[in-house]
Amino acid sequence: AGNPSIALASGVATPGTYYSVTVDTYGRVTSGTGTAVASSVTVSLTNAEAGTTVIASPAYSFAAGSFKKAVANSATTSQVIGFASADINAAASGSIITTGVAVATTGQWDAVTGQTGGLSAGAKYFLDPTTAGKITSTVPSTGFIVPLGIALSTTQLQINIGQPIQL
C-alpha cells in the first residue's frame, strides 16, 4: 500500500506575485491581477465660488459643506483639502479628491498650471501664491509654500498635500 499520487492541473494561473486573486471552490488560485488598484478618496462639497471651479483646481474648506479655490496668500486660503474631480458649477455640489491620484487631460491640467502639454512627469507641484485655483511647479517665493503632489505623467498627479509654510 503506497501513497496515492495527486495530479494538479497546471496553467490555471501563471506563477508570480499578485495584488488581487480569484480562488475557486477548492481553494485554488485561478487568476490574478498584477497591478495595484489605484484608490482615491473624495468628499462631496458645494462650490461657494461665484463661477465654475474647473477640474483639477485645488480647493480649501470655506464653510460647513462648501469649498472655494485655494491660493497660497493667506493662512486660511492655503489650507488645501484636495482637487476638484470635475468641473463644478457655482452653488452646485461636486467631488473633491482628497487622497490618491488626481486625473485630468493635458488640456485640463494646462488650464490649472499655465503650462502646455499637461503636467511635467516627476515634477513637484505647489499651490500658486497669486491666482486662486492654480498650481505651479515653481517653488513660491512669497506667501506660503504648499506642496500638493508629484506628477506621475502628463495627466496624473499623486496627491501629497503638505502643511503650508509661511514665507
Side-chain angles (χ1 to χ4, degrees):
N3 291 333
S5 67
I6 300 173
L8 296 176
S10 64
V12 176
T14 304
T17 301
Y18 295 95
Y19 291 98
S20 174
V21 295
T22 301
V23 179
D24 69 11
T25 57
Y26 300 105
R28 297 176 297 197
V29 173
T30 58
S31 65
T33 175
T35 57
V37 176
S39 63
S40 295
V41 176
T42 63
V43 61
S44 182
L45 297 172
T46 300
N47 181 0
E49 295 284 353
T52 299
T53 296
V54 298
I55 186 172
S57 293
Y60 74 96
S61 179
F62 175 66
S66 68
F67 75 91
K68 280 193 168 187
K69 294 183 279 190
V71 60
N73 64 3
S74 81
T76 301
T77 63
S78 64
Q79 294 288 331
V80 177
I81 58 169
F83 297 83
S85 65
D87 291 354
I88 305 170
N89 294 328
S93 290
S95 293
I96 302 297
I97 302 171
T98 59
T99 60
V101 178
V103 179
T105 67
T106 56
Q108 291 166 330
W109 281 116
D110 290 349
V112 174
T113 64
Q115 299 176 181
T116 55
L119 299 170
S120 299
K124 293 180 182 178
Y125 282 85
F126 304 88
L127 184 61
D128 191 283
T130 56
T131 307
K134 303 290 184 189
I135 68 174
T136 179
S137 58
T138 303
V139 179
S141 59
T142 62
F144 291 77
I145 296 175
V146 184
L148 299 175
I150 298 174
L152 301 175
S153 68
T154 57
T155 60
Q156 297 179 324
L157 181 76
Q158 174 64 53
I159 299 171
N160 188 13
I161 301 168
Q163 288 298 312
I165 300 168
Q166 187 171 8
L167 296 172

